[in-house]
Amino acid sequence: MPPLRTALLQNSGRPGHVAGNIEVLDGAARRAADAGARLLVCPELFLTGYAIGAEVDRLAEPADGPAALAVGEIAARHGLAVLYGYPERAGERIFNAAQLIGPDGAPLANYRKTHLFGAFEHEWFTPGEQTVVQAELDGVRIGIMICYDVEFPENVRAHALAGTDLLLVPTAQMHPFQFVAESLVPVRAFENQMYVAYVNRTGPEGEFEFVGLSCLAGPDGAVRSRAGRGKELVVGEVDPALLSASRTANPYLHDRRPGLYGSLV
């Protein structure tokens, strides 16, 4: 299989303005497609903004709402898959969610953040209950989680055991925790033998300062693409051949002894 060219959109858009953020996404999708990408990954809560307080309730939509239809049109027009973060309304509950739309405009997978971070998220969101959510794109098995989720090694290992090749992690990672983007994410990719696309917001927003540093890390622990601190679109390749060779050479998953780990759960 040829490499899956993947674009990471590091951008906080316009918090509170869904239509404006859809315009930003459309422009990024055009540039990503022009660069040969088949997948565009946006940050956590990209459609609405992160630090929007009670606006979460007003702007939350169901997974098949108007914003999803707009993103589907963008994906189909530019011929690439799009993962975007948004607040998902389901009955009386709101989830911090990320949805993957295929290059034909049809939804492929929807994930709800399982590990909420900080007082803001606990006030407005219900935690999801499904750890492993996957989809297939061009022969690559894609998994999804959101920000804080990747900091729990059990989460990522569950994806490794389920065969995830590329883990997409839209995030709102803030100062002073930039070591997550700089150090933890490449280690997660190496110890679980997968690619990890970690895609962050950037700049000040409410009480937060998002640090950027989005990256695509490979199964050898090397960072294939890295953004700086500002708005940026970076592109990298997920190479199935390298992934297969790395999994053959690295014994981490083969050498596990699950019988010793029962006390962890």
Side-chain angles (χ1 to χ4, degrees):
M1 294 184 295
L4 176 65
R5 199 158 175 78
T6 301
L8 317 182
L9 175 60
Q10 181 168 285
N11 195 312
S12 291
R14 298 176 57 195
H17 298 276
V18 174
N21 294 329
I22 288 175
E23 288 184 10
V24 173
L25 194 158
D26 190 19
R30 175 182 50 78
R31 298 196 307 275
D34 288 347
R38 283 282 289 167
L39 171 63
L40 171 65
V41 187
C42 302
E44 181 176 4
L45 293 175
F46 178 74
L47 284 190
T48 60
Y50 183 90
I52 59 173
E55 289 286 272
V56 168
D57 185 61
R58 181 178 70 87
L59 297 176
E61 294 186 10
D64 59 354
L69 298 179
V71 176
E73 291 174 359
I74 291 171
R77 182 164 62 253
H78 297 292
L80 80 173
V82 176
L83 180 89
Y84 66 97
Y86 74 108
E88 178 196 355
R89 184 179 299 282
E92 297 299 315
R93 299 181 296 172
I94 299 175
F95 297 92
N96 184 338
Q99 182 155 218
L100 180 64
I101 304 293
D104 61 353
L108 294 177
N110 189 70
Y111 172 78
R112 296 166 172 175
K113 189 174 186 178
T114 55
H115 294 73
L116 302 181
F117 177 82
F120 164 71
E121 292 190 19
H122 282 279
E123 179 179 1
W124 290 105
F125 298 109
T126 298
E129 296 295 335
Q130 187 173 355
T131 301
V132 177
V133 172
Q134 296 173 311
E136 296 284 332
L137 178 65
D138 295 352
V140 175
R141 184 171 296 180
I142 292 174
I144 308 168
M145 60 178 55
I146 298 173
C147 197
Y148 195 38
D149 291 331
V150 79
E151 298 178 40
F152 293 81
E154 301 90 344
N155 267 7
V156 188
R157 181 52 51 87
H159 270 275
L161 297 178
T164 292
D165 299 317
L166 168 61
L167 184 62
L168 307 182
V169 189
T171 189
Q173 205 270 307
M174 58 201 68
H175 178 81
F177 306 112
Q178 48 265 34
F179 69 89
V180 174
E182 293 171 335
S183 302
L184 186 147
V185 169
V187 170
R188 286 285 181 270
F190 177 68
E191 68 189 3
N192 290 288
Q193 288 300 290
M194 62 175 62
Y195 282 88
V196 179
Y198 188 78
V199 186
N200 200 11
R201 305 179 69 82
T202 181
E205 188 177 330
E207 62 184 289
F208 307 111
E209 177 74 29
F210 298 115
V211 301
L213 301 175
S214 301
C215 66
L216 177 65
D220 53 1
V223 173
R224 295 304 194 276
S225 300
R226 168 79 75 186
R229 295 297 186 100
K231 296 179 181 179
E232 198 168 345
L233 182 74
V234 297
V235 179
E237 293 192 342
V238 173
D239 186 354
L242 184 146
L243 184 60
S244 177
S246 182
R247 286 173 171 173
T248 298
N250 190 301
Y252 268 150
L253 299 180
H254 178 269
D255 288 349
R256 293 171 63 250
R257 297 182 62 193
L260 300 179
Y261 313 144
S263 62
L264 294 178
V265 295

